[in-house]
Amino acid sequence: MHDFVEITPLGGGAPRVQEINGIVLSEVTDRALASVAARLGQEDEAKALVSGFIEAPAPDAGRLSGSAKSAFWTGPDQWMVEAPIETHEDLAAELSEKAASRASVTEQTDGWCRFDLEGGDLVAVFEILCPVDLRKGQKGDATRTSIDHLGCFVLRRETDLVSVIGPRSSAGSLFHALETAVRAVR
Amino acid sequence: MIIHHPILGPRDSAEFTYLGDANLIHRPDWQAEDALAQFTDYGYQRKNPAGVHRELWFHEQGDRSWLVVTRNTVTHEITKVELARDVARAEGRDT
Amino acid sequence: MTQVNRLSGGLIDRNAPLSFRFDGKTYQGHKGDTLASALLANGVRLMGRSFKYHRPRGVMTAGSEEPNALVELRSGAAQEPNTRATTAELFDGLEANSQNRWPSLAWDALAINDTFSNFLTAGFYYKTFMWPRAFWEKLYEPIIRKAAGLGSISFEPDPDQYDKGFRHCDLLIIGAGPTGLAAALTAGRAGLDVILADEDFALGGRLNAEQFDVGDQSGAHWAANTVAELASLPNVRVMARTSILGAFDHGIYGAVERVSDHLARPEAGKPRQILWRIYTKRALLCAGAMERPIGFENNDRPGIMLASAMRAYANRWAATPAQEIAVFTNNDDGHRTAADLAAKGVTVAAVIDTRENAPKTGSYEVLAGAEITGTQGRLGLRSVDVKMANGQTRRIACGALGVSGGWNPNVHLTCHQRGKPEWREDIAGFVPGAVLPQGMSVAGAAQGIFPTAACMMSGAEAATDICADLGAPTPAIDLPSTEDAPVNITPFWHVQGAKRAWLDQQNDVTAKDVKLAHQENFVSVEHLKRYTTLGMATDQGKTSNIPGLAIMAELSGKQIPQVGTTIFRPPYTPTAIGALAGRSRDEDFRPTRKTPSHVWAEEQGAQFVEVGMWLRAQYFPRPGETHWRQSVDREVLQTRNSVGICDVTTLGKIDVQGADAAAFLNKIYANGFAKLPVGKVRYGLMLREDGIAMDDGTAARFAEDHFVVTTTTANAVPVYRHMEFVRQCLFPNMDVQLISTTEAWAQFSVAGPNARKLLQKVVDAEHDISNEAFPYMACGQITVANGLRARLFRISFSGELAYEIAVPTRYGDAMIRKLVEAGKEFDAVVYGTEALGVMRIEKGHAAGNELNGTTTALNLGMGRMVSKKKDSIGSTLSERDGLNTEDALKLVGFKPVDTEHPVPAGAHLMTKGDPVNAAHDQGYITSACYSPNLGCHIGIGYLKSGDTRLGEVVRLVSPLTGLDHDVEVVSAHFVDPEGERLRA
């Protein structure tokens, strides 16, 4: 095992967790990410690759599926696969090997930061963050949209648990936007 | 405006960036005898109609699809939205 | 105690007394009051001064259309000018001041303008301040600026926060009067997802301002009970204090919710207001109607107000402007004011009705066929002069006058997509036209339906239709019986012969001004508006437009519909700039991007610079360094003499994979990539289709079907967008996939003669990075720190022996610490963007200043790189004659002849002996710096035929900074022109 010490997207040694207005806002760093994009004409095969890895159907457009290992749709014939970092640190290499020429796999773990919001009035929080309508949405929705000028994925993991995955370099700004919105809830 | 994304349904146009005339799909053949003239037309000539216009929009804050949106530039009515990739294939882009 | 004009009843909470201040004096009011109603209850009629003539003015309306009673609310940084007293909800400790007066509201020096009003007529400014021209800036503008505007601002930052929000619904109901409530009840019970929005804090609209019952309860009670039922439905959201500002494309509405304006201060963390973007399938406009005034001599005295406002103050707020009032009307509705005030014990001196057939409605006197010809009382109304039907004149004493000229449906939002309202003779008003914004329907008074029962029926029916359209089953709604009086009106716009009949009280526009505009041949209503200012400013002529149009029609012998209306535009009511900005202000103006070494750089005391959204270390000052140049020179010299480290993560990185990846790069780059071996990097120049350079970077080939492409920091996003365009729109059948990996890898440049030695201490020993095994432009996957995967590229921006090494970003902090530690024995330095810039200029590498949107490959000295053997974006149009002239600009270097002279970027170049003018321009400096290696300033830039002029001395001129001296044309590669260091 190498001897480098990691820091979190917020720059700390450990993920930040904060509870405000009954909502737990936490930095999540224990997931590896890799993008999987189907090679031309290999759409079904790529889908099968994702599905086989996450042990659940590959998600349709705008959706998230799986549990211990999961994936969400990011574009036509393109998914982001998530897996525990402890067991899948080099997730991209692992998937790439499985993919052969069926799909293009790219390491994405460190391209992103992830903040989970759980409990409380999440509808009220998200309606001042982005156009994603949590009143109408369901568990399993995965939407890419803009939060505070940042392109983010909004993943409804449970009815009252939402992940926001945004660009890692802006983790501080994104966390600040989320925290401000949580505080503003009436 | 609301753009009805063919895969994702209604999305706010604020999530998109705009390019312009969908004829940009029809990039001329570089080996044509009059390639320079064709590219000049391609690069600079626009119909710019007051009315129905087919135009390219990029879902930048979304799924990164380029779309061909048929929109009336006077009323902003959008009558058709297609994936540009499908349009390009259907209209003969063969590489 | 002192609320001399407080009546009985009303919807105020008498158990909740509130104290407030107006112009320094303390008054008492109640919860439920507005500032205007509380002032009236306290016997205050004078509330402001008019814009132009500083005429004393009182409150005219009881709503957001108020033109007169504008005040400065709050104090200090929170001071807000031009706030309507009629919508300001009273809270304990509220502080308000009148505006546009000096030294006091009652005695205002600039009221002298009123005496000179004959000069200050329509177009005064246009006519007067034309000449002499020399007076424009020095004399006229300061005078006009001093006199202009109403309220004043604090010049302090807004202390409050504002949010922006997004809401979705099936049906947005705009207005919660009888129509809106009936509609909401219908749609709410049918299960539609409904938002009911109203600008007032008490929902119910006119139901709160009238005496009549709805079913077996008062109108206000029915409204409150209905709102309670609606609020209990999970599918209905009731948004009080929310103004719908505009109807935008495809069913999107803009709204401002005043979350905290009724509080002394917003709660901690809570916004003052929220700007909502509401996405709707349908919208139902139930905005009601607004009463309009009648023009007559001196109709602007404090105490003269709309009859409906007077009635609202009495019924809802238990306040009357005076104990003795009169009413001036041309329709039946005005009589209701007299009846209601009489019932509250206020003396009604007379009802003056312009109609011969005026009804007799109460025990007070009704003067049929009469007109008001004058009024008395400078700071508050004392009496009115009435010309009776028989021609005699009577003076009637009264402290207030309610005026009713009929009602205008609130059509504004129906016109936001350029809809044109239509005239309806029976109500003498404009109603919404046939073309409405997508998804909008209109009901109730906004549609010209005035009886309350008919309004409710109209709202319920419209909601039923919408439910049917959206497929929701609609239960029948039993509407209660209520007021159902027909509309009786005989249009009467202004009393003939009046000299100063005020139409637009906010802008001091009289009927005479409209006449003058007509005489001067202004025909279009839009011109009339601009010339006279009728309908401008905060109220946008809500009460004045129609009377103005009527007079215009009369003068030009046209019908009102032929004259037409001006275009209504968003916002419907004035909106705080803060609400439009939301949280995007100060340090939150936009997000910040931080590099992987940011924490470390902060520890080192780095000076940071904004590069787009990125915060990058600009330089790292050391103790004793007092000027940035000392730090930068040191960083440059140490790098060139030994080794330097720099965080270059900000460069865009795009992963390109697929069987056609190389063919794809051949399209997007002017030069070829098909033959680039795996394990090698190549510089790539990207052109726009018009042949102009777009961006440059490198592409590293990690496998036959896998490249990593870099872009400049600034162009990472547009280049990615362009590549997706090429992939999806131009070559949809290529097997290629793209994804950004910019942030996934922490990338550091290690440059200088000792770069390899340093890296050999960092890269795990099993990876041979010797010059033989890993030559210039090699790339590969390696490991560091005993097994962490990393990428190594042998590329150089500085011109030195250099590498870029990348690790997963979460280890970027560990990596910079490791590099610094390993570099100690070489006296390694960490350098910032300034040193980076100096070294690339010394090496003559192009960057953003050179790729400035006007330059071609030829200009950059890379003309031969544009392959003619293949097709690439921009290759054909780059061959255009105009881009390939004999004297084309070429990128070269410049050194001052006198080494003490600076070389500023932006300076222009002239051939010696030529005059200094644009016609003789030879080129310009694009980038410049002080070169510590050469010991003088240097620059690179474009010079006509520059490549053939090396050694020539040209004249550098910068008229802006007054510089004019000689520089020598040299190679842009000041350092190591043969590239020996790179390959060492």
Side-chain angles (χ1 to χ4, degrees):
Chain A
M1 189 55 196
H2 67 81
D3 48 24
F4 268 4
V5 177
E6 67 183 90
I7 62 169
T8 73
L10 287 176
R16 197 186 301 181
V17 181
Q18 223 166 321
E19 184 174 344
I20 307 159
N21 283 342
I23 294 167
V24 180
L25 173 60
S26 46
E27 185 182 15
V28 178
T29 57
D30 63 357
R31 293 269 142 172
L33 298 177
S35 64
V36 174
R39 290 283 171 97
L40 193 72
Q42 307 278 305
E43 292 77 12
D44 292 339
E45 288 79 357
K47 207 169 179 174
L49 171 76
V50 170
S51 165
F53 182 78
I54 65 169
E55 295 163 16
D60 291 331
R63 299 286 294 165
L64 158 84
S65 60
S67 49
K69 290 179 281 183
S70 50
F72 55 92
W73 187 92
T74 55
D77 305 311
Q78 195 186 86
W79 298 268
M80 190 78 85
V81 174
E82 307 174 298
I85 210 162
E86 203 175 330
T87 46
H88 300 273
E89 201 277 329
D90 199 358
L91 177 63
E94 190 182 340
L95 283 167
S96 194
E97 195 167 308
K98 287 191 191 1
S101 60
R102 294 186 289 171
S104 295
V105 179
T106 303
E107 175 163 354
Q108 289 283 303
T109 307
D110 287 6
W112 305 91
C113 58
R114 170 176 158 187
F115 301 107
D116 281 6
L117 294 93
E118 188 167 16
D121 189 354
L122 291 183
V123 170
V125 174
F126 277 86
E127 69 182 7
I128 55 171
L129 285 172
C130 64
V132 175
D133 184 12
L134 291 190
R135 287 173 86 245
K136 283 287 150 63
Q138 308 161 15
K139 179 184 163 177
D141 284 347
T143 314
R144 190 176 196 160
T145 188
S146 172
I147 293 180
D148 196 23
H149 315 286
L150 298 168
C152 295
F153 294 100
V154 176
L155 310 179
R156 192 101 180 247
R157 296 190 191 272
E158 300 291 341
T159 311
D160 64 346
L161 170 60
V162 178
S163 293
V164 175
I165 295 186
R168 180 179 173 115
S169 64
S170 297
S173 296
L174 180 56
F175 186 84
H176 174 65
L178 298 176
E179 188 191 341
T180 306
V182 170
R183 283 192 200 284
V185 169
R186 285 167 276 167
Chain B
M1 292 195 296
I2 299 289
I3 293 174
H4 286 263
H5 190 296
I7 301 172
L8 296 169
R11 302 293 289 245
D12 194 318
S13 60
E15 292 181 349
F16 295 79
T17 50
Y18 179 78
L19 180 62
D21 195 334
N23 273 323
L24 284 172
I25 287 173
H26 298 293
R27 187 169 180 271
D29 175 4
W30 72 292
Q31 287 176 311
E33 206 135 293
D34 59 343
L36 188 56
Q38 283 194 40
F39 268 95
T40 304
D41 277 354
Y42 170 78
Y44 294 101
Q45 301 299 326
R46 298 284 184 275
K47 290 218 170 67
N48 194 23
V52 175
H53 189 224
R54 290 175 83 237
E55 54 199 19
L56 286 161
W57 291 74
F58 181 52
H59 199 193
E60 182 125 22
Q61 302 293 2
D63 75 341
R64 310 295 177 95
S65 284
W66 276 96
L67 304 180
V68 174
V69 175
T70 306
R71 183 179 68 103
N72 187 310
T73 56
V74 177
T75 64
H76 293 186
E77 186 192 12
I78 292 173
T79 45
K80 200 175 190 182
V81 184
E82 303 152 276
L83 290 176
R85 192 169 188 166
D86 294 346
V87 173
R89 283 173 179 158
E91 294 181 1
R93 300 296 310 176
D94 51 7
T95 48
Chain C
M1 290 302 175
T2 53
Q3 297 178 42
V4 293
N5 283 333
R6 188 66 86 178
L7 304 173
S8 61
L11 301 179
I12 53 167
D13 183 352
R14 286 171 202 269
N15 296 321
L18 304 172
S19 177
F20 70 100
R21 286 166 77 79
F22 178 66
D23 277 348
K25 199 173 162 203
T26 303
Y27 298 93
Q28 304 296 315
H30 292 284
K31 190 172 162 56
D33 262 325
T34 62
L35 175 59
S37 71
L39 284 173
L40 288 177
N42 280 280
V44 178
R45 287 177 298 175
L46 176 62
M47 298 188 197
R49 289 275 176 169
S50 71
F51 180 63
K52 202 156 90 178
Y53 302 128
H54 293 245
R55 303 255 304 178
R57 293 280 165 77
V59 69
M60 181 176 170
T61 73
S64 63
E65 69 271 38
E66 176 61 30
N68 280 345
L70 305 182
V71 298
E72 285 166 7
L73 211 59
R74 296 182 162 87
S75 59
Q79 177 182 319
E80 187 175 33
N82 303 337
T83 306
R84 290 147 293 165
T86 51
T87 59
E89 208 172 328
L90 203 65
F91 56 84
D92 200 47
L94 177 145
E95 214 179 320
N97 284 294
S98 59
Q99 48 190 36
N100 207 36
R101 85 290 188 271
W102 184 85
S104 77
L105 183 56
W107 199 92
D108 176 8
L110 269 178
I112 194 152
N113 282 0
D114 200 26
T115 313
F116 295 110
S117 61
N118 277 345
F119 301 100
L120 292 165
T121 51
F124 168 74
Y125 288 82
Y126 302 126
K127 292 165 183 163
T128 309
F129 297 112
M130 293 289 290
W131 38 258
R133 192 189 168 103
F135 282 14
W136 285 0
E137 205 177 314
K138 290 277 176 338
L139 184 64
Y140 294 151
E141 191 181 316
I143 293 174
I144 294 170
R145 283 205 183 278
K146 183 125 177 51
L150 285 166
S152 56
I153 56 171
S154 69
F155 287 97
E156 288 176 55
D158 188 336
D160 296 320
Q161 279 156 350
Y162 301 81
D163 270 322
K164 290 188 187 182
F166 308 84
R167 279 189 172 164
H168 305 251
C169 64
D170 293 334
L171 172 61
L172 169 67
I173 298 173
I174 302 159
T179 312
L181 288 175
L185 215 46
T186 307
R189 285 179 185 167
L192 278 198
D193 190 18
V194 174
I195 290 178
L196 173 64
D198 195 290
E199 61 182 359
D200 206 332
F201 55 93
L203 304 194
R206 285 305 296 180
L207 293 178
N208 291 327
E210 303 290 355
Q211 282 291 347
F212 54 74
D213 286 344
V214 174
D216 54 4
Q217 46 191 335
S218 75
H221 262 107
W222 183 84
N225 289 335
T226 304
V227 170
E229 179 186 339
L230 291 168
S232 74
L233 296 173
N235 55 312
V236 176
R237 280 167 288 174
V238 178
M239 295 176 71
R241 302 184 176 101
T242 302
S243 305
I244 304 297
L245 302 174
F248 301 97
D249 286 317
H250 306 158
I252 300 175
Y253 289 80
V256 158
E257 181 181 12
R258 287 172 293 278
V259 177
S260 309
D261 279 9
H262 60 296
L263 308 172
R265 294 279 312 132
E267 284 177 58
K270 310 292 185 269
R272 178 185 166 211
Q273 299 179 350
I274 301 176
L275 180 71
W276 292 103
R277 178 182 289 223
I278 304 178
Y279 301 93
T280 71
K281 289 185 183 141
R282 294 300 167 86
L284 182 60
L285 183 68
C286 306
M290 247 174 231
E291 201 169 26
R292 62 196 179 216
I294 297 173
F296 55 91
E297 185 71 20
N298 286 325
N299 59 340
D300 64 333
R301 301 202 189 280
I304 300 177
M305 58 174 61
L306 292 171
S308 60
M310 186 182 273
R311 193 156 85 234
Y313 285 117
N315 289 333
R316 176 173 168 182
W317 287 289
T320 181
Q323 291 300 329
E324 193 171 16
I325 63 110
V327 170
F328 183 33
T329 184
N330 67 351
N331 65 86
D332 286 2
D333 195 66
H335 291 256
R336 197 176 274 159
T337 298
D340 284 2
L341 270 89
K344 290 257 185 183
V346 176
T347 304
V348 177
V351 175
I352 301 112
D353 193 324
T354 56
R355 300 169 300 173
E356 299 284 354
N357 60 348
K360 175 78 182 148
T361 47
S363 55
Y364 39 80
E365 192 178 11
V366 174
L367 306 174
E371 296 171 3
I372 293 184
T373 52
T375 67
Q376 291 78 39
R378 179 152 175 87
L379 298 179
L381 185 68
R382 286 198 317 271
S383 56
V384 298
D385 293 334
V386 179
K387 189 176 138 209
M388 311 286 288
N390 62 10
Q392 290 177 345
T393 302
R394 229 176 96 180
R395 180 161 292 187
I396 296 173
C398 55
L401 177 72
V403 182
S404 178
W407 290 76
N408 293 324
N410 281 333
V411 301
H412 304 73
L413 289 172
T414 69
C415 304
H416 282 183
Q417 312 278 323
R418 298 191 81 88
K420 285 203 171 11
E422 289 164 6
W423 183 253
R424 244 181 59 199
E425 205 60 53
D426 60 326
I427 59 165
F430 280 101
V431 295
V435 180
L436 296 173
Q438 183 185 318
M440 183 192 279
S441 16
V442 189
Q447 184 75 305
I449 299 165
F450 292 148
T452 311
C455 280
M456 290 170 73
M457 180 62 75
S458 152
E461 281 175 0
T464 304
D465 289 348
I466 290 164
C467 289
D469 276 2
L470 297 179
T474 334
I477 298 280
D478 274 343
L479 292 173
S481 62
T482 185
E483 179 271 336
D484 203 9
V487 178
N488 276 314
I489 180 169
T490 304
F492 186 92
W493 304 106
H494 67 129
V495 176
Q496 299 292 337
K499 290 198 180 77
R500 307 191 80 188
W502 304 90
L503 293 175
D504 184 330
Q505 298 205 11
Q506 183 159 92
N507 291 297
D508 281 342
V509 181
T510 62
K512 212 176 80 181
D513 290 319
V514 177
K515 281 179 196 149
L516 183 65
H518 172 71
Q519 279 167 17
E520 295 182 1
N521 220 10
F522 285 87
V523 176
S524 150
V525 284
E526 297 287 0
H527 289 157
L528 172 72
K529 173 172 175 174
R530 273 78 192 174
Y531 193 56
T532 63
T533 69
L534 174 82
M536 288 196 180
T538 68
D539 68 334
Q540 285 289 298
K542 289 195 175 66
T543 53
S544 62
N545 276 338
I546 307 292
L549 297 178
I551 292 171
M552 192 76 172
E554 188 182 293
L555 294 167
S556 54
K558 287 182 187 166
Q559 299 297 306
I560 289 173
Q562 289 175 290
V563 174
T565 59
T566 52
I567 294 170
F568 298 107
R569 294 187 179 86
Y572 176 66
T573 44
T575 306
I577 295 289
L580 301 176
R583 299 270 179 183
S584 300
R585 52 175 282 191
D586 303 324
E587 63 271 25
D588 292 342
F589 179 65
R590 61 178 179 186
T592 304
R593 303 177 78 179
K594 289 179 180 169
T595 64
S597 62
H598 188 86
V599 173
W600 179 87
E602 268 183 333
E603 287 170 18
Q604 305 306 309
Q607 178 71 38
F608 291 97
V609 60
E610 285 184 32
V611 183
M613 282 171 22
W614 287 102
L615 268 189
R616 296 187 71 179
Q618 191 174 14
Y619 54 93
F620 295 82
R622 289 267 174 86
E625 291 175 346
T626 54
H627 190 277
W628 64 270
R629 260 274 310 283
Q630 293 173 297
S631 311
V632 174
D633 289 356
R634 170 180 50 76
E635 289 170 13
V636 170
L637 290 173
Q638 232 168 309
T639 300
R640 292 221 188 274
N641 291 336
S642 178
V643 58
I645 302 156
C646 184
D647 189 330
V648 293
T649 305
T650 61
L651 291 180
K653 305 177 200 73
I654 298 167
D655 213 44
V656 182
Q657 295 194 48
D660 297 321
F664 180 75
L665 295 192
N666 263 353
K667 293 292 184 190
I668 62 161
Y669 286 119
N671 50 324
F673 280 84
K675 291 182 186 135
L676 180 70
V678 172
K680 286 285 183 189
V681 189
R682 182 171 289 170
Y683 174 83
L685 179 68
M686 205 176 275
L687 303 181
R688 309 189 311 214
E689 193 66 270
D690 62 3
I692 300 294
M694 177 160 87
D695 198 54
D696 68 349
T698 59
R701 192 166 202 171
F702 281 106
E704 280 300 319
D705 57 357
H706 185 196
F707 292 82
V708 174
V709 162
T710 67
T711 73
T712 57
T713 301
N715 282 335
V717 169
V719 165
Y720 180 83
R721 185 188 304 150
H722 169 71
M723 284 168 68
E724 283 289 5
F725 169 75
V726 174
R727 182 179 86 95
Q728 296 177 36
C729 301
L730 302 184
F731 305 104
N733 295 322
M734 274 193 180
D735 178 31
V736 61
Q737 293 80 39
L738 309 173
I739 190 162
S740 164
T741 64
T742 302
E743 326 219 346
W745 296 88
Q747 194 149 320
F748 299 92
S749 162
V750 180
N754 286 319
R756 184 181 302 116
K757 285 186 196 151
L758 190 160
L759 277 178
Q760 276 166 338
K761 292 176 67 183
V762 174
V763 173
D764 289 341
E766 61 265 38
H767 303 285
D768 183 0
I769 59 167
S770 67
N771 200 28
E772 296 69 39
F774 205 84
Y776 180 57
M777 295 311 252
C779 70
Q781 317 258 11
I782 49 138
T783 59
V784 296
N786 297 317
L788 174 65
R789 66 185 172 285
R791 289 171 170 176
L792 189 66
F793 309 84
R794 181 143 171 218
I795 50 180
S796 177
F797 197 46
S798 56
E800 296 299 321
L801 161 66
Y803 300 80
E804 289 188 12
I805 186 164
V807 291
T809 305
R810 62 189 184 280
Y811 299 113
D813 181 78
M815 189 70 195
I816 185 80
R817 291 174 203 274
K818 177 81 178 177
L819 289 168
V820 169
E821 177 64 31
K824 271 188 182 154
E825 68 173 272
F826 309 109
D827 197 22
V829 68
V830 179
Y831 61 92
T833 54
E834 285 297 329
L836 181 85
V838 168
M839 287 190 277
R840 73 99 189 160
I841 294 168
E842 285 180 339
K843 182 63 186 171
H845 275 311
N849 290 6
E850 286 71 42
L851 304 173
N852 60 15
T854 68
T855 49
T856 63
L858 182 76
N859 300 146
L860 287 159
M862 301 180 190
R864 272 174 302 185
M865 249 174 88
V866 183
S867 170
K868 310 272 189 255
K869 295 195 206 97
K870 63 162 180 118
D871 172 38
S872 66
I873 304 295
S875 63
T876 303
L877 288 182
S878 70
E879 291 176 36
R880 286 180 289 166
D881 291 345
L883 298 182
N884 293 280
T885 54
E886 283 285 318
D887 65 346
L889 294 169
K890 295 285 171 59
L891 187 67
V892 286
F894 301 93
K895 250 166 68 171
V897 170
D898 176 344
T899 54
E900 294 301 306
H901 278 145
V903 181
H908 276 250
L909 303 161
M910 302 288 161
T911 303
K912 279 188 73 83
D914 273 1
V916 177
N917 59 31
H920 291 85
D921 189 68
Q922 294 293 299
Y924 55 99
I925 307 288
T926 51
S927 300
C929 67
Y930 175 79
S931 165
N933 290 289
L934 280 78
C936 66
H937 284 88
I938 59 170
I940 57 174
Y942 293 111
L943 182 69
K944 283 184 177 173
S945 309
D947 53 340
T948 64
R949 296 168 72 172
L950 300 185
E952 182 182 334
V953 170
V954 295
R955 193 169 158 196
L956 175 147
V957 288
S958 173
L960 194 66
T961 51
L963 289 180
D964 185 346
H965 55 252
D966 291 346
V967 292
E968 185 190 344
V969 182
V970 295
S971 158
H973 309 297
F974 293 92
V975 167
D976 189 27
E978 304 304 319
E980 284 161 7
R981 295 191 198 178
L982 294 171
R983 295 178 176 80

